[in-house]
């Protein structure tokens, strides 16, 4: 009894292991978000959705790239503007500095002028004091002269008095009268010299006053010059303030554009990430489809009776121009596991089943520019399948039994195709084999 139980457990373990291996082939269910009852059509629809999503994302990336290069142009524009502004500011700083030097020079000149003015004023004061001294001396002389005159009057010199009566000041008396003739020779000489000295001092004083007036005029001119320089400085400073304002503006614009570019770059990264995710999903779905096809083939091989006869050429005999053979193709950058036929006028031509069998794929939805486009796969039993791609129309449905020579589709250019042609494959036990090993070219 005990032995039997152990055997049962071992058997169920073995069964569980096999089941697990199958899971491994299909892939993790939660990854592809599909359940066991998912049909091939549903999977293909999912793949379509992903492909369309990828196409959309690629468009977005192209648009984003365009936007990035536009922004980079702007960035360069603001940067050159900024450089220009900064050069301008440097120039203005130099000008301002030179202007400040000129102003300082002018101020020095004004200060010198002021010293000269003070000096001249001091000399004027000196002259005034000298003049006052001489005038005082003169007054004393006048007093003495008066006494001389009084003495002369006492001695009865009438005409002297008469003359004096009409005179207002001492100098007048000298000019108007001959009285000096009556004064002693010595006194006359002394008085004359005194007069000359006073006149000379007066002249000096006048000259100094004229000098001072000139100095003050010079100072005023210098101050005007300084005011002009200061006005020029102010204008330069305003210009600099404006240049700084522009520089700040350009800096802000530059920074805006730079951060916009970095936003766009991260958006692009996001798109690329989404594309990678979609591609992974497609791969997972494709694996599942392959598995469904494999299972369909297994099922079909039970019902399809393999025809041991010859394979039929899939087109009318006039279409035999082989544009790509089975094997390596540079254009397909790898193995081209099929034959391409691309005669002129082939578009819309009938495609015939190469042998009888069951239609296991009849795909009418596709993304332009990708893969097989519309295509048909027929299972012929005995591990053989044939595939007909890039069709413009399909006349059979999945599960339908067809005979050799039945029209199953029309030639077209759907999917990844550069012009109307038939791409056909023969598969043996899941691998693509060279069709020319099976079918003769008519
Ligand atoms: Zn091809």
């Amino acid at each position: 009894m005990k032995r039997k139980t152990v055997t049962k457990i071992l058997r169920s373990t073995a069964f569980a292991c096999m089941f697990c291996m199958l899971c491994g082939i299909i892939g993790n269910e939660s990854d592809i978000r599909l359940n066991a009852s998912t049909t091939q059509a549903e999977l293909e629809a999912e793949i379509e959705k992903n492909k369309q999503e990828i196409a959309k994302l690629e468009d977005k990336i192209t648009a984003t790239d365009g936007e990035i290069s536009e922004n980079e142009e702007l960035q360069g524009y603001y940067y050159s503007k900024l450089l220009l502004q900064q050069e301008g500011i440097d120039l203005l700083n130099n000008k301002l500095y030179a202007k400040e030097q000129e102003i300082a020079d002018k101020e020095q000149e004004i200060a010198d002028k002021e010293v000269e003015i003070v000096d001249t004023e001091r000399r004027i004061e000196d002259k005034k004091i000298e003049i006052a001294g001489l005038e005082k001396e003169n007054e004393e002389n006048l007093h003495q002269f008066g006494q001389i005159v009084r003495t002369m009057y006492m001695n009865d010199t009438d005409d002297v008095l008469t003359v004096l009566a009409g005179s207002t000041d001492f100098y007048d008396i000298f000019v108007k009268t001959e009285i000096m003739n009556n004064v002693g020779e010595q006194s006359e000489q002394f008085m004359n010299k005194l007069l000359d000295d006073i006149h000379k001092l007066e002249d000096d004083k006048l000259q100094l006053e004229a000098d001072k007036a000139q100095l003050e005029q010079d100072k005023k001119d210098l101050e005007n010059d300084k005011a002009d320089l200061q006005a020029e400085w102010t204008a330069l400073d305003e210009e600099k303030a404006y240049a700084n304002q522009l520089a700040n503006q350009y800096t802000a614009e530059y920074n805006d554009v730079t951060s916009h570019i970095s936003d766009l770059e991260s958006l692009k990264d996001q798109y690329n990430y989404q594309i990678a995710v979609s591609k992974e999903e497609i791969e997972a779905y494709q694996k599942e489809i392959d598995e469904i096809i494999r299972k369909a083939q297994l099922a079909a091989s039970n019902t399809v009776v393999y025809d041991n006869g010859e394979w039929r050429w899939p087109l009318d005999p006039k279409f035999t121009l082989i544009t790509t053979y089975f094997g390596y193709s540079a254009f397909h950058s790898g193995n081209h596991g099929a034959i391409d036929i691309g005669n002129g006028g082939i578009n819309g031509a009938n495609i015939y089943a190469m042998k009888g069998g069951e239609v296991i794929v009849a795909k009418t939805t596709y993304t332009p520019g990708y893969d097989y486009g519309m295509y048909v796969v027929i299972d012929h039993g005995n591990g053989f399948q044939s595939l007909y791609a890039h069709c413009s129309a399909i006349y059979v449905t999945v599960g339908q039994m067809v005979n050799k020579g039945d029209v199953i589709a029309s030639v077209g250019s759907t999917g990844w195709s550069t012009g109307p042609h038939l791409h056909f494959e023969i598969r043996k036990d899941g691998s693509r084999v060279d069709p020319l090993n099976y079918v003769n070219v008519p």
Side-chain angles (χ1 to χ4, degrees), residues 324 332 336-341 372 389-390 416 421-425:
T324 313
H332 296 82
H336 181 242
I339 296 287
D340 285 348
I341 304 154
Y372 289 136
H390 310 304
W416 186 42
H421 75 288
L422 171 65
H423 165 117
F424 76 95
E425 298 176 6

Side-chain angles (χ1 to χ4, degrees), residues 42-53:
E42 280 167 342
L43 287 166
E44 280 168 353
E46 285 299 326
I47 288 176
E48 279 317 313
K49 255 163 58 187
N50 274 305
K51 281 178 180 174
Q52 277 160 17
E53 182 62 22

